Amino acid sequence: MDKATDRTGTIRVAINGTELAVRVSGTGAPLMLLHGWPHTGRIWDGVRPARRRRIVPDLRGLGDSAPADDGFDAATAAADLIGLLDFLEVETVEVAAIDASVPTAFLLAMRHPERVTRLVLMEGTVPGLAGGFDPPPWWFGFHAVPKLPETLIEGREDDYLGWFLRRVDDPELRTALVDAYRGRRRLGAGFGFYRALDRTAELVRAALAGGRLHVPTVALGGNVVGERLHRQLEPITDNLRGEILERCGHIVPLDRPDALTDLLAG
Protein backbone atom coordinates (compact mmCIF):
# COMPACT_ATOMS: atom_id res chain seq x y z
CA MET A 1 0.00 0.00 0.00
CA ASP A 2 1.22 3.48 -0.86
CA LYS A 3 0.50 6.75 0.90
CA ALA A 4 0.76 10.43 0.02
CA THR A 5 -0.37 13.47 2.01
CA ASP A 6 -1.44 16.75 0.38
CA ARG A 7 -1.44 20.28 1.78
CA THR A 8 -4.93 19.93 3.24
CA GLY A 9 -3.85 17.03 5.42
CA THR A 10 -5.70 14.51 3.30
CA ILE A 11 -3.99 11.13 3.20
CA ARG A 12 -4.17 9.30 -0.12
CA VAL A 13 -3.87 5.55 0.19
CA ALA A 14 -3.44 3.25 -2.82
CA ILE A 15 -5.36 0.12 -1.95
CA ASN A 16 -7.51 -2.63 -3.46
CA GLY A 17 -6.99 -1.40 -7.01
CA THR A 18 -7.92 2.21 -6.31
CA GLU A 19 -6.80 5.23 -4.26
CA LEU A 20 -8.84 6.52 -1.35
CA ALA A 21 -8.62 9.99 0.14
CA VAL A 22 -9.07 9.99 3.92
CA ARG A 23 -8.91 12.68 6.59
CA VAL A 24 -7.77 11.58 10.03
CA SER A 25 -8.03 13.84 13.07
CA GLY A 26 -8.34 13.71 16.83
CA THR A 27 -7.21 11.14 19.37
CA GLY A 28 -9.04 8.40 21.18
CA ALA A 29 -11.17 5.44 20.19
CA PRO A 30 -11.30 5.15 16.38
CA LEU A 31 -14.50 6.26 14.63
CA MET A 32 -14.99 5.83 10.88
CA LEU A 33 -17.56 8.13 9.26
CA LEU A 34 -18.98 7.14 5.86
CA HIS A 35 -20.88 9.48 3.54
CA GLY A 36 -23.67 8.78 1.07
CA TRP A 37 -24.79 10.21 -2.30
CA PRO A 38 -24.37 12.91 -3.52
CA HIS A 39 -22.05 13.63 -0.62
CA THR A 40 -18.39 13.51 0.31
CA GLY A 41 -16.71 13.16 3.68
CA ARG A 42 -17.24 16.90 4.17
CA ILE A 43 -20.77 16.31 5.45
CA TRP A 44 -19.13 15.09 8.68
CA ASP A 45 -17.14 18.28 9.32
CA GLY A 46 -19.52 19.41 12.07
CA VAL A 47 -19.47 16.07 13.91
CA ARG A 48 -16.35 16.06 16.08
CA PRO A 49 -17.01 14.11 19.26
CA ALA A 50 -14.47 14.41 22.03
CA ARG A 51 -11.98 11.64 22.67
CA ARG A 52 -12.39 10.10 19.21
CA ARG A 53 -9.95 9.54 16.37
CA ARG A 54 -12.03 10.48 13.32
CA ILE A 55 -11.37 8.52 10.10
CA VAL A 56 -13.32 10.12 7.25
CA PRO A 57 -12.76 8.60 3.79
CA ASP A 58 -14.25 9.62 0.49
CA LEU A 59 -15.71 6.43 -0.96
CA ARG A 60 -14.33 4.72 -4.06
CA GLY A 61 -14.52 6.99 -7.10
CA LEU A 62 -16.06 9.89 -5.16
CA GLY A 63 -14.90 13.18 -3.68
CA ASP A 64 -11.13 13.47 -3.50
CA SER A 65 -10.62 9.73 -4.01
CA ALA A 66 -9.30 8.63 -7.39
CA PRO A 67 -11.79 8.26 -10.25
CA ALA A 68 -13.07 4.69 -10.58
CA ASP A 69 -15.23 2.85 -13.08
CA ASP A 70 -16.11 -0.29 -11.10
CA GLY A 71 -16.05 -1.90 -7.67
CA PHE A 72 -19.17 -0.20 -6.29
CA ASP A 73 -20.79 -3.27 -4.74
CA ALA A 74 -20.79 -3.43 -0.95
CA ALA A 75 -18.25 -6.26 -0.75
CA THR A 76 -15.60 -4.36 -2.72
CA ALA A 77 -16.32 -1.15 -0.84
CA ALA A 78 -16.04 -3.01 2.49
CA ALA A 79 -12.72 -4.50 1.36
CA ASP A 80 -11.53 -0.97 0.56
CA LEU A 81 -12.29 0.04 4.14
CA ILE A 82 -10.66 -3.01 5.72
CA GLY A 83 -7.54 -2.24 3.72
CA LEU A 84 -7.67 1.36 4.89
CA LEU A 85 -8.00 0.29 8.54
CA ASP A 86 -5.08 -2.11 8.11
CA PHE A 87 -2.98 0.67 6.62
CA LEU A 88 -3.83 2.98 9.53
CA GLU A 89 -3.11 0.12 11.96
CA VAL A 90 -6.62 0.34 13.41
CA GLU A 91 -7.65 -3.00 14.84
CA THR A 92 -11.22 -2.14 15.86
CA VAL A 93 -13.44 0.78 14.97
CA GLU A 94 -16.92 2.17 15.43
CA VAL A 95 -18.58 2.79 12.07
CA ALA A 96 -21.21 5.45 11.35
CA ALA A 97 -22.75 5.39 7.86
CA ILE A 98 -25.49 7.24 6.03
CA ASP A 99 -27.47 6.69 2.85
CA ALA A 100 -25.53 4.84 0.11
CA SER A 101 -22.81 3.70 2.52
CA VAL A 102 -25.24 1.85 4.82
CA PRO A 103 -25.04 -1.45 2.86
CA THR A 104 -21.24 -1.25 2.88
CA ALA A 105 -21.11 -0.71 6.64
CA PHE A 106 -23.62 -3.52 7.17
CA LEU A 107 -21.61 -6.00 5.09
CA LEU A 108 -18.37 -4.86 6.74
CA ALA A 109 -19.83 -5.78 10.13
CA MET A 110 -21.27 -9.06 8.87
CA ARG A 111 -17.98 -10.19 7.33
CA HIS A 112 -15.62 -8.73 9.94
CA PRO A 113 -17.51 -8.49 13.25
CA GLU A 114 -14.22 -8.67 15.16
CA ARG A 115 -13.21 -5.33 13.63
CA VAL A 116 -16.40 -3.33 14.37
CA THR A 117 -17.25 -2.26 17.91
CA ARG A 118 -20.58 -0.66 16.99
CA LEU A 119 -22.60 0.28 13.91
CA VAL A 120 -24.52 3.56 13.72
CA LEU A 121 -26.59 3.41 10.54
CA MET A 122 -28.78 6.28 9.40
CA GLU A 123 -31.15 7.29 6.62
CA GLY A 124 -30.42 4.36 4.34
CA THR A 125 -31.75 0.88 3.66
CA VAL A 126 -30.09 -2.48 3.11
CA PRO A 127 -30.86 -4.18 -0.24
CA GLY A 128 -31.78 -7.82 0.14
CA LEU A 129 -33.74 -7.25 3.37
CA ALA A 130 -37.51 -6.92 3.60
CA GLY A 131 -39.07 -3.78 5.05
CA GLY A 132 -37.42 -1.07 2.94
CA PHE A 133 -39.04 1.24 0.41
CA ASP A 134 -41.84 -0.33 -1.65
CA PRO A 135 -41.44 0.88 -4.31
CA PRO A 136 -38.00 2.52 -4.08
CA PRO A 137 -37.73 6.27 -4.79
CA TRP A 138 -37.85 7.16 -8.50
CA TRP A 139 -34.15 8.00 -8.80
CA PHE A 140 -33.03 4.48 -7.81
CA GLY A 141 -34.27 3.12 -11.13
CA PHE A 142 -33.08 6.12 -13.14
CA HIS A 143 -29.57 5.98 -11.68
CA ALA A 144 -29.34 2.25 -12.32
CA VAL A 145 -29.75 2.62 -16.10
CA PRO A 146 -26.28 2.25 -17.69
CA LYS A 147 -24.86 5.51 -19.09
CA LEU A 148 -28.21 7.29 -19.50
CA PRO A 149 -28.12 9.50 -16.37
CA GLU A 150 -24.59 10.74 -17.14
CA THR A 151 -25.64 11.63 -20.69
CA LEU A 152 -28.63 13.63 -19.53
CA ILE A 153 -27.09 15.27 -16.45
CA GLU A 154 -23.57 16.19 -17.60
CA GLY A 155 -23.48 19.97 -17.85
CA ARG A 156 -26.62 20.22 -15.69
CA GLU A 157 -25.08 19.04 -12.41
CA ASP A 158 -26.03 22.23 -10.56
CA ASP A 159 -29.70 21.77 -11.37
CA TYR A 160 -29.95 18.01 -10.88
CA LEU A 161 -27.67 17.46 -7.89
CA GLY A 162 -28.75 20.79 -6.46
CA TRP A 163 -32.28 19.41 -6.15
CA PHE A 164 -31.04 16.63 -3.85
CA LEU A 165 -28.95 19.15 -1.88
CA ARG A 166 -31.57 21.89 -1.74
CA ARG A 167 -31.79 21.77 2.05
CA VAL A 168 -28.04 22.21 2.56
CA ASP A 169 -27.94 25.68 4.10
CA ASP A 170 -24.24 26.38 3.52
CA PRO A 171 -23.89 27.54 -0.11
CA GLU A 172 -20.14 26.90 -0.15
CA LEU A 173 -20.64 23.32 1.00
CA ARG A 174 -23.47 22.77 -1.48
CA THR A 175 -21.25 23.99 -4.33
CA ALA A 176 -18.36 21.79 -3.17
CA LEU A 177 -20.59 18.71 -3.11
CA VAL A 178 -21.91 19.37 -6.61
CA ASP A 179 -18.37 20.01 -7.88
CA ALA A 180 -17.27 16.63 -6.48
CA TYR A 181 -19.66 14.92 -8.92
CA ARG A 182 -19.14 17.18 -11.90
CA GLY A 183 -18.40 15.46 -15.21
CA ARG A 184 -19.38 12.14 -16.73
CA ARG A 185 -16.88 9.95 -14.89
CA ARG A 186 -17.62 11.31 -11.43
CA LEU A 187 -21.35 11.14 -12.08
CA GLY A 188 -20.93 7.55 -13.23
CA ALA A 189 -19.10 6.62 -10.04
CA GLY A 190 -21.96 7.95 -7.95
CA PHE A 191 -24.51 6.08 -10.03
CA GLY A 192 -22.31 2.98 -9.79
CA PHE A 193 -23.49 2.38 -6.23
CA TYR A 194 -27.08 2.24 -7.50
CA ARG A 195 -26.15 -0.02 -10.42
CA ALA A 196 -24.54 -2.45 -7.98
CA LEU A 197 -27.61 -2.73 -5.72
CA ASP A 198 -28.75 -6.06 -7.15
CA ARG A 199 -25.28 -7.52 -6.60
CA THR A 200 -25.16 -6.03 -3.12
CA ALA A 201 -28.53 -7.60 -2.31
CA GLU A 202 -27.13 -11.01 -3.29
CA LEU A 203 -24.12 -10.42 -1.05
CA VAL A 204 -26.32 -9.43 1.89
CA ARG A 205 -28.49 -12.52 1.55
CA ALA A 206 -25.41 -14.74 1.29
CA ALA A 207 -23.92 -13.20 4.44
CA LEU A 208 -27.14 -13.73 6.38
CA ALA A 209 -27.34 -17.35 5.24
CA GLY A 210 -24.33 -17.90 7.50
CA GLY A 211 -25.67 -16.11 10.57
CA ARG A 212 -27.04 -12.93 12.11
CA LEU A 213 -25.63 -9.45 12.71
CA HIS A 214 -23.94 -9.69 16.12
CA VAL A 215 -22.39 -6.21 16.26
CA PRO A 216 -24.27 -3.74 18.50
CA THR A 217 -26.22 -1.49 16.13
CA VAL A 218 -28.11 1.79 16.27
CA ALA A 219 -30.58 2.63 13.48
CA LEU A 220 -31.26 6.36 13.21
CA GLY A 221 -34.07 7.77 11.09
CA GLY A 222 -34.75 11.26 9.79
CA ASN A 223 -37.72 12.42 7.74
CA VAL A 224 -37.01 10.36 4.59
CA VAL A 225 -36.12 6.79 5.59
CA GLY A 226 -37.69 7.06 9.02
CA GLU A 227 -38.19 3.69 10.74
CA ARG A 228 -37.63 1.56 7.63
CA LEU A 229 -34.02 0.69 8.46
CA HIS A 230 -34.91 -0.36 11.99
CA ARG A 231 -37.72 -2.50 10.58
CA GLN A 232 -35.27 -4.20 8.21
CA LEU A 233 -32.65 -4.90 10.86
CA GLU A 234 -34.86 -6.00 13.75
CA PRO A 235 -35.38 -9.63 12.63
CA ILE A 236 -31.69 -10.31 11.95
CA THR A 237 -29.78 -8.26 14.57
CA ASP A 238 -28.89 -9.41 18.09
CA ASN A 239 -28.40 -5.99 19.71
CA LEU A 240 -30.39 -3.20 18.03
CA ARG A 241 -31.64 0.20 19.11
CA GLY A 242 -33.79 2.42 16.93
CA GLU A 243 -34.39 6.15 17.16
CA ILE A 244 -36.20 8.74 15.05
CA LEU A 245 -34.50 12.13 15.31
CA GLU A 246 -36.71 15.17 15.66
CA ARG A 247 -36.06 18.27 13.55
CA CYS A 248 -34.01 16.17 11.15
CA GLY A 249 -34.03 15.85 7.38
CA HIS A 250 -32.16 13.26 5.34
CA ILE A 251 -28.54 14.43 5.76
CA VAL A 252 -28.32 13.79 9.49
CA PRO A 253 -24.73 15.06 10.04
CA LEU A 254 -25.79 18.46 8.68
CA ASP A 255 -29.23 18.64 10.29
CA ARG A 256 -28.44 17.18 13.73
CA PRO A 257 -24.68 17.30 14.34
CA ASP A 258 -25.46 17.86 18.01
CA ALA A 259 -27.30 14.56 18.36
CA LEU A 260 -24.59 12.65 16.51
CA THR A 261 -21.79 14.30 18.48
CA ASP A 262 -23.46 13.22 21.74
CA LEU A 263 -24.14 9.70 20.46
CA LEU A 264 -20.61 9.16 19.17
CA ALA A 265 -18.70 10.77 22.06
CA GLY A 266 -16.01 8.55 23.53
Side-chain angles (χ1 to χ4, degrees), residues 26 51 139 151 153 158 183 189 258:
R51 301 179 299 280
W139 58 87
T151 301
I153 295 167
D158 294 282
D258 56 333

Side-chain angles (χ1 to χ4, degrees), residues 129-253:
L129 298 183
F133 286 99
D134 186 21
W138 62 265
W139 58 87
F140 277 55
F142 176 52
H143 292 172
V145 178
K147 298 184 180 180
L148 179 63
E150 297 95 312
T151 301
L152 297 177
I153 295 167
E154 187 177 23
R156 302 177 178 85
E157 292 91 345
D158 294 282
D159 292 330
Y160 186 74
L161 299 177
W163 184 83
F164 291 93
L165 299 169
R166 62 194 181 279
R167 293 190 174 88
V168 176
D169 293 331
D170 181 346
E172 187 277 330
L173 175 59
R174 188 167 57 248
T175 297
L177 295 178
V178 171
D179 286 346
Y181 289 81
R182 200 174 296 279
R184 185 165 300 218
R185 197 173 186 194
R186 290 295 190 179
L187 285 168
F191 301 143
F193 287 90
Y194 292 88
R195 291 167 185 160
L197 285 177
D198 286 346
R199 174 58 180 155
T200 292
E202 294 175 359
L203 293 163
V204 167
R205 287 190 288 264
L208 287 170
R212 295 165 55 82
L213 177 61
H214 302 302
V215 173
T217 301
V218 180
L220 297 180
N223 71 0
V224 175
V225 176
E227 65 179 13
R228 291 177 180 87
L229 179 60
H230 183 269
R231 188 166 63 221
Q232 285 189 305
L233 296 176
E234 191 170 27
I236 52 92
T237 306
D238 290 342
N239 184 345
L240 176 66
R241 176 166 70 88
E243 182 178 347
I244 300 296
L245 295 175
E246 298 179 354
R247 299 177 289 105
C248 186
H250 177 57
I251 310 179
V252 182

Side-chain angles (χ1 to χ4, degrees), residues 1-14 19-23 64 87:
M1 300 177 204
D2 299 322
K3 180 186 84 167
T5 305
D6 67 15
R7 294 180 181 178
T8 68
T10 299
I11 301 170
R12 302 182 183 278
V13 181
E19 181 185 81
L20 296 185
V22 57
R23 296 164 184 82
D64 289 332
F87 176 82

Side-chain angles (χ1 to χ4, degrees), residues 57-72:
D58 285 342
L59 300 181
R60 171 182 286 252
L62 303 181
D64 289 332
S65 291
D69 300 315
D70 54 24
F72 302 112

Side-chain angles (χ1 to χ4, degrees), residues 19-38:
E19 181 185 81
L20 296 185
V22 57
R23 296 164 184 82
V24 181
S25 62
T27 58
L31 169 66
M32 186 159 61
L33 303 170
L34 305 178
H35 67 84
W37 181 93

